[in-house]
Amino acid sequence: MNTTSVTSSKVHNFSAGPAILPQEVLAKAAAAVTNFAGKNLSLLEISHRSKEFVAVMDEAQALAKELLNLNDDYEVLFLGGGASSQFYMTAANLLPTDGTAHFLDTGTWSTKAIKEAKKYGNVNVVASSSDTNFNYIPKGYTVPSDGAYLHLTSNNTIFGTQLKEFPTSDIPLVCDMSSDMFSRPIDASKFGIIYAGAQKNMGPSGVTLVIIRKDILGKVERDLPSMVDYRTHIAKGSMFNTPPVFPIYVSMLTMRWVKENGGLAGMAKRNTEKADTLYTEIDRNPLFKGNVAAEDRSVMNATFNVVDEAHAAPFLALCAARNLDALKGHRSVGGFRASMYNAMELDSVQALVQAMRDFETANA
Amino acid sequence: MNTTSVTSSKVHNFSAGPAILPQEVLAKAAAAVTNFAGKNLSLLEISHRSKEFVAVMDEAQALAKELLNLNDDYEVLFLGGGASSQFYMTAANLLPTDGTAHFLDTGTWSTKAIKEAKKYGNVNVVASSSDTNFNYIPKGYTVPSDGAYLHLTSNNTIFGTQLKEFPTSDIPLVCDMSSDMFSRPIDASKFGIIYAGAQKNMGPSGVTLVIIRKDILGKVERDLPSMVDYRTHIAKGSMFNTPPVFPIYVSMLTMRWVKENGGLAGMAKRNTEKADTLYTEIDRNPLFKGNVAAEDRSVMNATFNVVDEAHAAPFLALCAARNLDALKGHRSVGGFRASMYNAMELDSVQALVQAMRDFETANA
């Protein structure tokens, strides 16, 4: 543990999202805004149907499948509208009016997904941790064996919880992985749909990755708007309309970076080391306490608080003085939240731990 | 007329969209990817709820209203999903199941808007130029006095037509201005909704400007998904979910540039000069012909062709040799298309005209 970061001008970016991206990705993204692919034109001003951008889209789709070890039963889309649009698009495409969609309710994002699905059919909540403001992941529930699909949220940014294992089900699994996409190896072939807003581990806001096992589509009788029907985008290779070119390019660069840094196993190693470093200090330091059941703690977003509320403001002030940025917890939880996405280096977490130790010493 | 561009490395970007943006906007956009607002963080990795980005959103909304001289009866939204999503969202929000939406069909984009609206209610096409592959704007039709709304497309990128005047109607006017937004002064207060994909005159792809006169909403009984209901976005100041941060920032910079360069009157002067320069040459040069009825020619997108089809390939080759980029016409029309959006300088049009003259001389 060193304390060089205390005097460094490096900003340690703990933002929950939009969030930290690899420095080399940002450098390449900035360069492309000036001159893309040697064309003497900006990436922002070329046709999405130019061969240079078609190559970007192709590589982005291939990288997503390669990282997740998916075969051609799956299609990779990059859509606008945010993961919030997937809350209703999943139901619109998969849930018959007289059918039932099942949900594991782990708070906020799954709660929103439930609300939108109700507009299309019946909803059954298989389990919820709402009784304790979502500070754990419900377990021991009966996995439904019939119904349109089971919807999960793999990681909750606000409460700092994460599903460590995914159930096996005979019905399609639909999973919102917005905040831990590409952070760890998963058996992606278990899922019917995986969707993820880019702005955590993948790229800037403005694009959502949607991965679909094609055989689950076409089973609902509903005259959907073309843009809402996944089949529209699949038929056109995610180019039915002008896609969000720049966010897709940056996402492709980030997936390249993930691949070059050990793939999902490499990310899990990085992320576990960071999370272990922080949670160990949270548990050791008598001035702090974690929010979440230990076995459900998120490797991406650690939520914690001071034991003595009077310490909250001075601790945040110390963090600010040390360029430890965006650590204030979400308003619905309070306290602190340290988001440690793929691109965060261990030294940023070490700088936070050092601040916690120094705060302990100063308040002994 | 000079020919310096022949030997210059400047690429003359005639792309129909995504399209040319002001060089100073691109320079600022690239800088923000590296370090935004002096935060030592990239614009791509900061929270959309940071005070720095909230200021961007506020300025973008204010600039849109200022440029269009709109009062607080109107709300400005920046949404994901492209103008293609507005094809169905306008109908979903405004068209009762037993109501009628009226359309002026000027090809491709209005045809798509008609298709999506039919999913929500009745559609009436007041006039169409489909009989001659949309090479003119229908005129002399009866403007409907009842119905949910009248939908117009102000400019057609593919055919190169443009509405020079807008009808006055007792029912809300809904206008897709994707390809000539902010290109000329308009009486924006005539419209109930104006929408425009950013990737022509405003910014990179990935965001759509939607301007709504608030009193036209709330008249349709339909349980819309939250993301589809304009009222959701109005209630949250276009921040219901994470917005497309970077495309919004670049759009804001471009609107600043428009304001600094004479506003919409300044843009109209620039654009008319460029269009007059090109159309004059198309009409003078015996080797070329325009596609569109003279009075309906677009100031943004000039479509033209060679008289002798054998000249098509060699003319495109000459253009390529002179860095006159993206001049090939859309596949549904053929020939050539020169898009001359706001940011294009006169010298690029002059370089194209010079190429046409030199081609004439070489083929005399």
Side-chain angles (χ1 to χ4, degrees):
Chain A
M1 181 77 51
N2 67 62
T3 59
T4 53
S5 59
V6 175
T7 52
S8 160
S9 66
K10 173 176 175 176
V11 179
H12 302 288
N13 181 9
F14 290 96
S15 176
I20 189 168
L21 291 170
Q23 284 297 315
E24 64 192 77
V25 166
L26 293 172
K28 286 177 187 166
V33 172
T34 303
N35 184 356
F36 177 62
K39 284 177 75 79
N40 287 323
L41 289 172
S42 168
L43 172 61
L44 310 188
E45 57 177 356
I46 65 163
S47 171
H48 58 295
R49 303 203 185 278
S50 64
K51 68 178 190 300
E52 291 83 2
F53 183 71
V54 169
V56 169
M57 177 66 93
D58 289 348
E59 184 174 351
Q61 292 173 327
L63 278 167
K65 289 172 78 168
E66 182 182 348
L67 289 171
L68 294 168
N69 197 26
L70 287 172
N71 64 25
D72 289 341
D73 294 343
Y74 287 83
E75 198 78 23
V76 174
L77 303 177
F78 292 93
L79 304 181
S84 293
S85 291
Q86 299 310 311
F87 296 159
Y88 78 87
M89 284 177 67
T90 46
N93 281 273
L94 300 181
L95 178 56
T97 306
D98 60 355
T100 299
H102 302 279
F103 286 79
L104 182 66
D105 184 18
T106 50
T108 314
W109 312 113
S110 53
T111 307
K112 285 175 184 259
I114 289 166
K115 179 185 170 195
E116 302 303 325
K118 282 180 178 168
K119 298 175 192 287
Y120 291 94
N122 304 307
V123 161
N124 173 50
V125 177
V126 297
S128 172
S129 47
S130 65
D131 55 338
T132 56
N133 200 26
F134 303 106
N135 70 349
Y136 69 99
I137 298 288
K139 286 171 281 286
Y141 56 89
T142 302
V143 177
S145 56
D146 63 0
Y149 58 90
L150 169 61
H151 183 284
L152 309 167
T153 310
S154 58
N155 185 78
N156 187 301
T157 47
I158 291 176
F159 303 105
T161 57
Q162 187 174 30
L163 271 72
K164 303 301 179 184
E165 291 179 356
F166 296 103
T168 297
S169 174
D170 293 333
I171 63 174
L173 289 181
V174 173
C175 191
D176 175 2
M177 294 196 187
S178 292
S179 53
D180 64 356
M181 193 74 213
F182 298 135
S183 70
R184 54 177 169 168
I186 57 166
D187 180 359
S189 70
K190 288 178 88 163
F191 296 88
I193 291 182
I194 294 170
Y195 64 92
Q199 65 268 18
K200 318 288 185 181
N201 276 329
M202 227 168 67
S205 65
V207 68
T208 301
L209 172 66
V210 184
I211 298 169
I212 304 174
R213 203 181 72 214
K214 286 174 277 187
D215 67 357
I216 69 172
L217 299 178
K219 296 176 179 170
V220 173
E221 294 289 333
R222 187 175 281 134
D223 190 19
L224 294 173
S226 302
M227 286 291 289
V228 176
D229 192 327
Y230 290 131
R231 293 171 297 181
T232 303
H233 301 286
I234 290 173
K236 297 291 187 179
S238 214
M239 292 267 224
F240 171 69
N241 68 327
T242 311
V245 165
F246 183 76
I248 292 171
Y249 177 67
V250 182
S251 298
M252 185 279 284
L253 292 177
T254 309
M255 287 188 280
R256 265 191 202 164
W257 175 88
V258 170
K259 181 182 172 184
E260 290 161 2
N261 285 273
L264 302 191
M267 293 301 111
K269 184 167 180 295
R270 282 171 73 92
N271 293 328
T272 303
E273 187 175 15
K274 289 179 288 181
D276 285 350
T277 299
L278 180 53
Y279 285 122
T280 298
E281 177 63 15
I282 290 170
D283 290 340
R284 186 207 63 76
N285 194 317
L287 272 57
F288 294 90
K289 60 183 178 183
N291 289 355
V292 168
E295 70 275 17
D296 300 325
R297 284 170 162 177
S298 170
V299 170
M300 298 278 96
N301 317 94
T303 58
F304 57 107
N305 212 333
V306 281
V307 174
D308 177 355
E309 187 55 40
H311 285 156
F315 178 66
L316 271 182
L318 175 66
C319 291
R322 295 187 180 190
N323 279 334
L324 299 159
D325 198 52
L327 282 164
K328 194 171 180 190
H330 190 273
R331 62 189 176 279
S332 63
V333 178
F336 316 109
R337 170 173 55 177
S339 297
M340 305 170 285
Y341 296 112
N342 284 350
M344 175 163 276
E345 302 285 348
L346 180 61
D347 78 314
S348 290
V349 177
Q350 289 172 331
L352 172 57
V353 166
Q354 189 62 50
M356 294 167 74
R357 290 180 182 180
D358 293 347
F359 190 75
E360 180 192 9
T361 304
N363 291 278
Chain B
M1 181 77 53
N2 65 63
T3 58
T4 53
S5 59
V6 175
T7 52
S8 161
S9 65
K10 173 176 175 177
V11 179
H12 302 287
N13 182 9
F14 291 97
S15 176
I20 189 168
L21 292 169
Q23 284 298 314
E24 64 192 78
V25 167
L26 293 172
K28 285 176 187 166
V33 173
T34 302
N35 184 355
F36 176 63
K39 283 178 76 78
N40 286 323
L41 290 172
S42 168
L43 173 62
L44 310 188
E45 56 177 357
I46 64 164
S47 172
H48 58 294
R49 303 203 186 277
S50 63
K51 69 178 190 301
E52 291 84 2
F53 183 71
V54 169
V56 169
M57 177 65 94
D58 289 347
E59 184 173 351
Q61 292 172 328
L63 278 166
K65 288 172 78 167
E66 183 182 348
L67 289 171
L68 294 167
N69 197 26
L70 287 172
N71 63 26
D72 290 340
D73 294 343
Y74 286 82
E75 198 78 22
V76 174
L77 304 177
F78 292 93
L79 304 181
S84 292
S85 291
Q86 299 310 311
F87 296 159
Y88 78 86
M89 283 176 68
T90 46
N93 281 273
L94 299 181
L95 178 56
T97 306
D98 60 354
T100 298
H102 302 278
F103 286 79
L104 182 66
D105 184 17
T106 50
T108 315
W109 313 114
S110 53
T111 308
K112 285 175 184 257
I114 288 166
K115 179 185 170 194
E116 302 304 325
K118 282 181 178 170
K119 298 175 191 286
Y120 291 93
N122 304 306
V123 161
N124 173 49
V125 177
V126 297
S128 171
S129 47
S130 65
D131 55 339
T132 56
N133 201 26
F134 302 106
N135 71 350
Y136 69 99
I137 299 286
K139 286 171 280 285
Y141 57 87
T142 302
V143 176
S145 57
D146 64 359
Y149 58 90
L150 169 61
H151 183 283
L152 309 167
T153 311
S154 58
N155 185 78
N156 187 300
T157 47
I158 290 176
F159 303 105
T161 57
Q162 188 174 29
L163 271 72
K164 303 301 178 182
E165 293 180 353
F166 296 103
T168 297
S169 174
D170 294 334
I171 63 175
L173 289 181
V174 173
C175 192
D176 174 2
M177 294 194 188
S178 293
S179 52
D180 65 356
M181 193 73 212
F182 298 135
S183 69
R184 55 177 169 169
I186 57 167
D187 180 359
S189 71
K190 289 178 87 163
F191 296 89
I193 291 182
I194 293 170
Y195 64 92
Q199 65 268 19
K200 319 288 186 180
N201 277 328
M202 227 169 69
S205 64
V207 67
T208 302
L209 172 67
V210 184
I211 298 168
I212 304 174
R213 203 180 73 214
K214 287 173 276 187
D215 67 358
I216 69 171
L217 299 177
K219 296 176 179 171
V220 173
E221 294 289 334
R222 187 174 281 136
D223 190 19
L224 292 174
S226 302
M227 285 292 289
V228 176
D229 192 327
Y230 289 132
R231 292 171 297 181
T232 302
H233 301 287
I234 290 172
K236 297 291 186 179
S238 214
M239 292 266 223
F240 170 69
N241 69 326
T242 311
V245 165
F246 183 75
I248 292 170
Y249 176 67
V250 182
S251 298
M252 184 279 283
L253 292 178
T254 309
M255 287 188 281
R256 266 192 202 164
W257 175 88
V258 169
K259 182 181 172 184
E260 290 161 2
N261 284 274
L264 302 190
M267 292 301 112
K269 184 167 180 295
R270 283 170 72 92
N271 293 328
T272 303
E273 187 176 14
K274 289 179 287 181
D276 285 350
T277 300
L278 181 54
Y279 284 120
T280 298
E281 178 63 16
I282 290 170
D283 290 340
R284 185 208 62 77
N285 193 316
L287 272 57
F288 294 91
K289 59 183 177 184
N291 289 355
V292 168
E295 71 275 16
D296 300 326
R297 284 170 162 177
S298 169
V299 170
M300 298 278 96
N301 317 93
T303 57
F304 57 107
N305 212 333
V306 281
V307 174
D308 177 355
E309 187 55 37
H311 284 157
F315 178 66
L316 272 181
L318 175 66
C319 291
R322 295 187 179 189
N323 278 335
L324 298 159
D325 198 51
L327 282 164
K328 196 172 179 189
H330 189 274
R331 60 188 177 280
S332 63
V333 178
F336 316 110
R337 171 172 56 178
S339 296
M340 306 170 285
Y341 296 112
N342 284 351
M344 175 163 278
E345 301 285 348
L346 180 61
D347 77 316
S348 290
V349 177
Q350 289 171 330
L352 172 58
V353 166
Q354 190 62 50
M356 293 167 75
R357 290 181 182 180
D358 293 347
F359 190 75
E360 179 192 10
T361 304
N363 290 277

